[in-house]
């Protein structure tokens, strides 16, 4: 049977045959740029959810990693007065702390560093540090998997709007949560510190005498207060920067998506 082609008006008022859209080799019509960027709603939702959760974990991982570096730890120990509390020199504090951090992250988890011919930590303190290492290594694994999930989701979605919207939502949620929690920590630090330890450690295993036990002399309460404050500030800054990046990508994506009917309107004009 004859193939009917639509008639469209030309600028001069006459008529001409409308162009049929090109087909793929198999006869199927080629997908337009607009529809090629549209994914089913469940897929967009899942990509956004994964992006949001992974973004939160990655930002937490970056923050924890930053505050575990000797650059932060040594400087904060100086401000918290670890040399005065331990009776060690500044050089001795850095050597001892460096060994503890190495055992904590790299291992093996012996925590048997000595100073002036004597062990720095008691067996009870060393056992607590082994428990701390277990928690930190588990968190590193989770944050690393979140980073892989984030990169994989971006690759699979081609950096779609759903992906960047999830990144923005996750970052904004983290910033708001940290701001709210930070206010509580500032006014009730002892309660927050106790609650945190109860979540991850057995009762009583994390309480030490600041007059005789080196662990809390090396890392006194002021050290943890300042570190918690720094963590909150860093998390908020990272979250806001990530929100700004995601919004810029969303605006760029909106400009790149053709408006339905724009090509038809241009032909008819």
């Amino acid at each position: 049977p004859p193939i009917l082609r639509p008639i469209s008006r030309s600028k001069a008022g006459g008529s001409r045959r409308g162009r049929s859209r090109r087909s793929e080799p198999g006869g199927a019509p080629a997908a337009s740029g607009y529809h090629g960027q549209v994914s089913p709603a469940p897929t967009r939702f899942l990509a956004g959810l994964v992006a949001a959760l992974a973004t939160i974990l990655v930002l937490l991982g970056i923050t924890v990693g930053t505050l575990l570096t000797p650059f932060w730890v040594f400087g904060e120990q100086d401000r918290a007065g670890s040399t005065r509390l331990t009776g060690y020199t500044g050089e001795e504090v850095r050597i001892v702390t460096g060994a503890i951090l190495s055992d904590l992250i790299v291992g093996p988890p012996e925590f048997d560093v000595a100073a002036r011919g004597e062990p720095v930590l008691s067996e009870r303190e060393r056992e607590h540090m082994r428990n701390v290492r277990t928690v930190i290594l588990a968190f590193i694994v989770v944050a690393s998997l979140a980073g892989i999930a984030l990169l994989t989701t971006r690759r699979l979605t081609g950096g779609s709007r759903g992906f960047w919207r999830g990144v923005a939502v996750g970052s904004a949620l983290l910033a708001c949560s940290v701001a709210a929690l930070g206010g509580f920590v500032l006014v009730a630090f002892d309660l927050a510190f106790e609650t945190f330890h109860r979540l991850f450690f057995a009762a009583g295993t994390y309480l030490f005498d600041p007059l005789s036990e080196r662990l809390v002399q090396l890392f006194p309460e002021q050290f943890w207060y300042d570190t918690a404050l720094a963590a909150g500030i860093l998390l908020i800054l990272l979250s806001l920067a990530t929100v700004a990046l995601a919004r810029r990508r969303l605006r760029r994506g909106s400009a790149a998506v053709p408006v339905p009917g724009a090509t038809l309107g241009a032909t008819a004009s």
Side-chain angles (χ1 to χ4, degrees):
I3 299 176
L4 300 179
R5 298 183 183 276
I7 305 299
S8 61
R9 296 291 179 183
S10 65
K11 291 183 179 180
S15 62
R16 57 183 172 86
R17 295 288 182 180
R19 295 183 180 178
S20 60
R21 291 199 300 175
R22 287 179 296 178
S23 301
E24 297 294 337
S32 67
Y34 173 74
H35 293 287
Q37 298 189 31
V38 176
S39 302
T43 302
R44 295 198 302 270
F45 174 78
L46 181 60
L49 180 61
V50 171
L53 294 177
T55 297
I56 290 173
L57 290 171
V58 167
L59 293 180
L60 286 171
I62 293 173
T63 300
V64 171
T66 301
L67 298 180
L68 278 175
T69 59
F71 174 80
W72 169 261
V73 174
F74 293 165
E76 186 51 41
Q77 282 181 316
D78 290 341
R79 287 186 289 272
S82 294
T83 54
R84 173 179 54 82
L85 294 171
T86 59
Y88 295 153
T89 65
E91 183 65 20
E92 287 173 325
V93 167
R94 284 187 287 275
I95 292 174
V96 167
T97 302
I100 291 174
L101 290 176
S102 177
D103 287 357
L104 182 66
I105 304 300
V106 181
E110 300 295 338
F111 299 103
D112 56 355
V113 60
R116 302 179 182 179
E118 297 182 356
V120 174
L121 303 179
S122 66
E123 179 54 37
R124 182 166 168 268
E125 291 170 304
R126 290 198 291 269
E127 183 61 30
H128 175 64
M129 290 306 300
R130 295 186 190 103
N131 294 335
V132 172
R133 184 174 191 266
T134 300
V135 173
I136 288 181
L137 290 184
F139 176 73
I140 290 174
V141 170
V142 171
S144 299
L145 291 176
I148 295 172
L150 190 64
L151 294 175
T152 302
T153 303
R154 185 184 187 281
R155 181 177 180 84
L156 291 177
T157 61
S160 66
R161 288 179 57 79
F163 170 81
W164 287 112
R165 190 178 294 112
V167 171
V169 170
S171 303
L173 180 62
L174 180 61
C176 293
S177 300
V178 170
L181 184 61
F184 170 72
V185 172
L186 288 176
V187 299
F189 176 77
D190 290 340
L191 178 59
F193 192 76
E194 175 75 14
T195 302
F196 173 83
H197 279 76
R198 285 184 178 181
L199 290 174
F200 298 102
F201 308 108
T205 61
Y206 50 84
L207 299 176
F208 301 97
D209 185 357
L211 297 179
S212 59
E213 293 179 290
R214 297 295 191 194
L215 189 58
V216 289
Q217 293 174 351
L218 288 166
F219 307 100
E221 182 174 316
Q222 187 63 45
F223 174 93
W224 295 113
Y225 183 88
D226 293 345
T227 299
L229 183 62
I233 294 173
L234 182 56
L235 273 173
I236 291 175
L237 291 176
L238 286 173
S239 297
L240 294 178
T242 306
V243 169
L245 172 63
R247 291 183 64 182
R248 191 184 330 156
R249 295 287 181 142
L250 285 169
R251 286 195 299 269
R252 185 181 303 174
S254 297
V257 175
V259 178
T263 305
L264 180 60
T267 301
S269 61

